[in-house]
Amino acid sequence: MPSNTSAPPAKKKGRRARLLLVLLVLVLVAGVGAGGYWGVSTVRASFPQTTGEIRLDGLSGRVEVKRDALGVPQIYADNEQDLFRAQGYVQAQDRFYEMDVRRHVTAGRLSEMFGEGQVETDSFLRTLGWRRVAQEEYDKVLSAETKKYLQAYAEGVNAYLKDRKPGDVSVEYAALALTNDYAIEPWTPVDSVAWLKAMAWDLRGNMQDEIDRSLLTSRLTPAQIKQLYPEYPYALHQPIVDKGAVDESTGKFDPKGEGDDDLGTGETPGSNPTGSDGSTGSGSSDGSSGSGGSTGSGGSSDGMTSQLAALSEVLDGVPALLGPNGNGIGSNSWVVAGKYTTSGKPLLANDPHLAPQLPSLWYQMGLHCRSVSATCRYDVSGYTFSGMPGVIIGHNDKIAWGLTNLGADVTDLYLEKIGPDGYLVDGKVRPFTVREETIKVAGASDRKITVRSTEHGPLVSDRSSELETVGQKAPVGNAAPDRGTGYGVSLQWTALQPGRSMDAIFAIDRAKDFASFRAAAENFEVPSQNLIYADTEGNIGYQSPGKIPQRAKGDGTLPAPGWDSSYAWKKQYVPFEKLPYEYNPERGYIVTANQAVIDPKNYPDLLTKDWGYGSRSQRINDLIESKTKDGGKISPDDMRTMQTDNRSEIATLLNPLLLKIDIADPHVREAQKLLEGWDYTQEPDSAAAAYFNAVWRNVLKLAFGDKLPKELRAEGDCINVRPADATGPVDEQNKLVRECGQRDADSAQPDGGDRWYEVVRPLLKQEKNEWWTTPGNRTDQATETRDQLLARAMKDARWELTAKLGKDVSTWSWGRLHQLTLKNQTLGTAGPGAVQRLLNRGPWNLGGGEAAVDATGWNAAGGYEVIWVPSMRMVVNVGDWDKSRWVNLTGASGHAFHSHYTDQTDAWAKGELYDWAHGKAAVDAATRDTLVLNP
């Protein structure tokens, strides 16, 4: 899942636009670094008070905030509203600047903080309308109880802000004051709700794949594109749910696949005949198993390519709140039943893989009613987000749960035939829905934009001049309307409709059994997650919730023709009672790591065509099976060790072939010898892992990257290619042209993830295949076979690492290549090195790798830098809660020079965990500071 916020402004133009701000801040921060009195006093003024007593307006009783040696707070109150009011106060103490930047992202108001460099990003975010949808959820959908909690939380935040100058809240505001008259606004309940929209955006599924498949048509044939998006390997990588089907007589999912829903209670836990959106039907998508989704017979399309490339560039500019969207985003979670554990009770592990951020996306805390009763029901601890009440992942006194991203296809792009009066559907013009938005800009005049929407959703093409027209050759069939000046592109997305996910969070926090857990999960509509479960009675379970559309036609893999109503979504989503789940499966464990949920042979509804490909999940399955065979038991430390497993699955396939290549060059042969006897683990000090990953990167570049269109390749990746309109042989009139990649390196292709494992797997058995062919150059002959290309990749990797790590291969190590630098998310992402050194932390030399269980991911198209991390790790010892363990990526504090800024990172990098106190006695024993909040 939440598989990656104090969100940064846009990555390209916006970062450069902040250069002036960073330069002006240099004097302030340099004062801090040099120990100057003004700088130090400015920084320390924002540090939280963690001892003594404070009066907090609105409280009805005394609240205690107990912090351990890591600064993690545990809050004790006598009623629920006091609990969440105190949560708001405490999170604002530690993380308000992060919260404030985040809410400006979700509202499309970054320009108010960072100036006109953010106008383009704000325009796109206003077009999506996250904040508008969040307001509608709060006004019309969320329960009265949830609103009370949100309001109490907001009151707590505002109590902290009251009478404080911006510089006393965070040092970054003192920096902003040098260039901007920015004033902090009060926190509102909708600010909290809107964050769920941002989270959903980064977990939205296959939208980037949908764009990329369309962009590939400019360079590759349909058959080649299909090879680059292989089917999920069900025979190799088992899905989450290995049994079960929808019972046609009841319209419900039967986890046993035998038409028997009895789980020992006489009924399906948490079942509800009515969906959370009020729907009651049980019909499946009649087009879900078809090959639709194509907008016609297609062919190359310069216009469509230009349009979708521009959209992709706009998406690159939207702040990556959790990380670059794509196959890399994910998480691990698994739960093992007591019959296989040393404790005799379930063990549950979770580690969401997200973009590294400083401070971490996650905030650890506990929320405890002193006496749990019908009027004060919370005794929960775990990980939450700054700016949001409740706990997202963790446990209460009865159950534990974890999340990974389901990856359901919940977005569709539609081509729209537009004109001055509206858009075409079934031969008739329908009017746009139109609204005006005003963007306030620090240091500049306001900007006004017009947002137009069709019945599918907002016209995202309006936000870029390159997106105003589709072009001359859109890949559509003969039945498509006249192109005229082109087509627009609209976005349909489940998160743009009001939902009840905020209700679900509170309900999960107080769930007591699988029935109440599933009832809560029914409202966890957006983003769609894999939920795993365990309880003190020894039960384990899994549920896949979410709003998942049913398409009348098409499969969501390519932009659909908006002018044909047969491609519209059905009014009903897949009913909750049809979504897959498990309860105490016979195998005794459940693994979710973004793999396929269920084999489509046993399931009628289309969840997505673009799963993660299951390398991590299958490795976890294999580790559990190897540990439990012959009566073996799994301990909590075994769970931790599994989380740090760094074996390279692609190496098991490719390395044996590399060792067979006859290498004449003694320097390349020297590197090849590193691979002899290598066990495929990717430790930080491993020279073999460094060389293998460099070879893998160069194999991908030669076989695939150099054949992809510029819109998918990384910026700075330049090659000589035939012009797009070239015919016949290359000659003086038709010579090669220099073409450079256009995509941000973090999201370029081929990224080297496990989709590419599945692309390469069958090709390794084919000595001659068109993908192995590469043109020659000044130093290399053309390749025509697998071994020729592998040899060339081995040579290129040798000289690449010589440049990066030195000539002596004995000094090479994977960690020197594969480094993590934690960057302050606003002032630490660009600008003078002095600022970055003062605000950022690192680098750390890491092991692990892309699609390993220890998913310190990197993008092979962009380099070896760590761009994905296990953003936290936890191992829950169910029932013996105080023996659970956890760690965060950074620390509790968002204040750059606070002792808890990155105090957990060294332990995290080593794969270590800290004790996680939950019970009153354990919390008291761990407490270092106590703050009392009085009415």
Side-chain angles (χ1 to χ4, degrees), residues 225-272:
I225 295 172
K226 185 176 181 181
Q227 283 183 292
L228 299 188
Y229 288 89
E231 295 292 323
Y232 183 87
Y234 289 95
L236 291 173
H237 299 158
Q238 68 188 65
I240 297 171
V241 177
D242 61 359
K243 291 183 180 180
V246 174
D247 187 330
E248 293 183 2
S249 65
T250 64
K252 296 181 180 180
F253 186 80
D254 172 12
K256 298 179 180 178
E258 301 166 352
D260 178 12
D261 248 353
D262 185 359
L263 302 182
T265 62
E267 60 181 16
T268 304
S271 65
N272 188 330

Side-chain angles (χ1 to χ4, degrees), residues 219 706 713 718-722 736-740 775:
R219 187 63 59 84
D706 290 350
R713 298 201 319 275
C718 300
I719 57 176
N720 295 320
V721 299
R722 285 168 58 92
L736 298 176
V737 297
R738 192 71 167 162
E739 182 185 270
C740 295

Side-chain angles (χ1 to χ4, degrees), residues 419-533:
D421 301 320
Y423 59 101
L424 196 68
V425 178
D426 295 339
K428 296 181 180 180
V429 175
R430 298 183 181 178
F432 296 114
T433 301
V434 179
R435 70 176 190 272
E436 300 290 330
E437 295 274 354
T438 299
I439 299 173
K440 295 183 178 181
V441 185
S445 58
D446 294 351
R447 310 291 174 85
K448 293 184 181 295
I449 63 170
T450 300
V451 178
R452 300 186 296 173
S453 298
T454 72
E455 62 191 50
H456 302 116
L459 274 172
V460 289
S461 53
D462 280 353
R463 296 285 72 86
S464 167
S465 59
E466 294 180 83
L467 293 174
E468 291 176 356
T469 62
V470 171
Q472 302 302 312
K473 297 180 181 179
V476 294
N478 295 331
D482 178 67
R483 294 182 180 89
T485 58
Y487 302 112
V489 177
S490 63
L491 169 66
Q492 187 161 15
W493 177 33
T494 56
L496 297 183
Q497 301 169 21
R500 297 184 61 189
S501 294
M502 200 73 235
D503 287 344
I505 290 168
F506 294 115
I508 289 174
D509 282 359
R510 59 179 185 259
K512 298 300 182 185
D513 52 28
F514 196 54
S516 54
F517 180 76
R518 288 195 73 218
E522 182 171 359
N523 287 329
F524 206 124
E525 300 164 333
V526 175
S528 187
Q529 300 289 290
N530 296 307
L531 303 181
I532 61 165
Y533 167 95

Side-chain angles (χ1 to χ4, degrees), residues 258-436:
E258 301 166 352
D260 178 12
D261 248 353
D262 185 359
L263 302 182
T265 62
E267 60 181 16
T268 304
S271 65
N272 188 330
T274 303
S276 59
D277 62 350
S279 62
T280 58
S282 62
S284 64
S285 171
D286 56 22
S288 63
S289 60
S291 60
S294 169
T295 54
S297 56
S300 176
S301 165
D302 294 339
M304 186 63 172
T305 297
S306 174
Q307 184 189 32
L308 289 171
L311 175 57
S312 185
E313 185 171 353
V314 170
L315 297 180
D316 265 348
V318 174
L321 305 178
L322 307 182
N325 184 264
N327 185 250
I329 199 165
S331 304
N332 300 324
S333 71
W334 66 95
V335 61
V336 181
K339 65 180 179 180
Y340 290 133
T341 70
T342 56
S343 68
K345 293 284 190 178
L347 296 174
L348 186 150
N350 198 184
D351 55 289
H353 306 155
L354 309 171
Q357 298 183 35
L358 181 60
S360 168
L361 168 71
W362 298 107
Y363 185 93
Q364 297 156 286
M365 73 186 319
L367 301 171
H368 308 278
C369 292
R370 289 194 182 94
S371 178
V372 177
S373 65
T375 56
C376 196
R377 296 165 290 175
Y378 294 90
D379 184 16
V380 59
S381 61
Y383 296 85
T384 186
F385 302 128
S386 300
M388 183 183 295
V391 167
I392 308 300
I393 296 174
H395 71 82
N396 58 33
D397 60 331
K398 296 293 185 182
I399 75 165
W401 68 95
L403 305 179
T404 63
N405 194 30
L406 179 66
D409 186 357
V410 295
T411 61
D412 275 340
L413 295 173
Y414 282 88
L415 303 178
E416 305 283 7
K417 174 60 178 177
I418 60 176
D421 301 320
Y423 59 101
L424 196 68
V425 178
D426 295 339
K428 296 181 180 180
V429 175
R430 298 183 181 178
F432 296 114
T433 301
V434 179
R435 70 176 190 272
E436 300 290 330

Side-chain angles (χ1 to χ4, degrees), residues 5-340:
T5 295
S6 49
K11 292 196 223 172
K12 297 179 182 176
K13 299 177 183 176
R15 286 182 180 175
R16 291 191 288 268
R18 292 199 307 276
L19 183 57
L20 176 61
L21 169 64
V22 174
L23 287 170
L24 291 173
V25 166
L26 182 58
V27 175
L28 165 69
V29 181
V32 174
Y37 173 76
W38 181 74
V40 171
S41 63
T42 300
V43 169
R44 289 180 176 171
S46 62
F47 287 3
Q49 178 181 341
T50 59
T51 61
E53 298 192 9
I54 294 175
R55 181 180 175 186
L56 181 56
D57 291 342
L59 287 180
S60 61
R62 185 171 181 268
V63 176
E64 293 171 296
V65 181
K66 300 185 178 185
R67 292 179 184 260
D68 64 12
L70 298 172
V72 174
Q74 304 278 349
I75 301 176
Y76 290 84
D78 291 323
N79 65 74
E80 294 172 351
Q81 286 180 264
D82 279 359
L83 198 59
F84 295 117
R85 186 174 286 105
Q87 183 181 16
Y89 185 90
V90 170
Q91 287 193 338
Q93 282 186 304
D94 287 336
R95 300 278 193 99
F96 183 77
Y97 180 74
E98 174 194 9
M99 293 162 58
D100 199 16
V101 173
R102 184 180 293 165
R103 67 167 166 176
H104 278 76
V105 172
T106 59
R109 295 174 57 193
L110 284 169
S111 301
E112 296 177 22
M113 296 185 80
F114 301 106
E116 54 189 340
Q118 301 306 313
V119 170
E120 183 178 343
T121 297
D122 282 345
S123 297
F124 188 79
L125 293 168
R126 295 285 185 96
T127 298
L128 293 179
W130 294 346
R131 171 75 186 205
R132 293 173 58 86
V133 180
Q135 185 72 57
E136 191 174 354
E137 285 185 0
Y138 185 80
D139 291 342
K140 301 178 180 179
V141 178
L142 295 178
S143 70
E145 181 177 67
T146 293
K147 291 181 183 180
K148 288 180 181 179
Y149 296 157
L150 289 164
Q151 186 61 47
Y153 180 90
E155 290 170 0
V157 174
N158 293 329
Y160 174 74
L161 296 175
K162 184 179 179 182
D163 299 329
R164 276 184 168 82
K165 297 176 181 178
D168 293 336
V169 175
S170 184
V171 68
E172 287 91 342
Y173 291 116
L176 284 177
L178 297 176
T179 59
N180 188 352
D181 59 357
Y182 175 77
I184 298 174
E185 295 179 357
W187 192 264
T188 74
V190 180
D191 293 332
S192 297
V193 177
W195 171 236
L196 287 172
K197 301 302 172 187
M199 189 172 73
W201 174 254
D202 283 342
L203 302 174
R204 63 192 179 272
N206 75 334
M207 182 172 165
Q208 191 65 57
D209 289 327
E210 194 173 332
I211 293 170
D212 288 356
R213 271 188 283 256
S214 298
L215 293 172
L216 288 170
T217 61
S218 69
R219 187 63 59 84
L220 303 179
T221 67
Q224 289 172 320
I225 295 172
K226 185 176 181 181
Q227 283 183 292
L228 299 188
Y229 288 89
E231 295 292 323
Y232 183 87
Y234 289 95
L236 291 173
H237 299 158
Q238 68 188 65
I240 297 171
V241 177
D242 61 359
K243 291 183 180 180
V246 174
D247 187 330
E248 293 183 2
S249 65
T250 64
K252 296 181 180 180
F253 186 80
D254 172 12
K256 298 179 180 178
E258 301 166 352
D260 178 12
D261 248 353
D262 185 359
L263 302 182
T265 62
E267 60 181 16
T268 304
S271 65
N272 188 330
T274 303
S276 59
D277 62 350
S279 62
T280 58
S282 62
S284 64
S285 171
D286 56 22
S288 63
S289 60
S291 60
S294 169
T295 54
S297 56
S300 176
S301 165
D302 294 339
M304 186 63 172
T305 297
S306 174
Q307 184 189 32
L308 289 171
L311 175 57
S312 185
E313 185 171 353
V314 170
L315 297 180
D316 265 348
V318 174
L321 305 178
L322 307 182
N325 184 264
N327 185 250
I329 199 165
S331 304
N332 300 324
S333 71
W334 66 95
V335 61
V336 181
K339 65 180 179 180
Y340 290 133

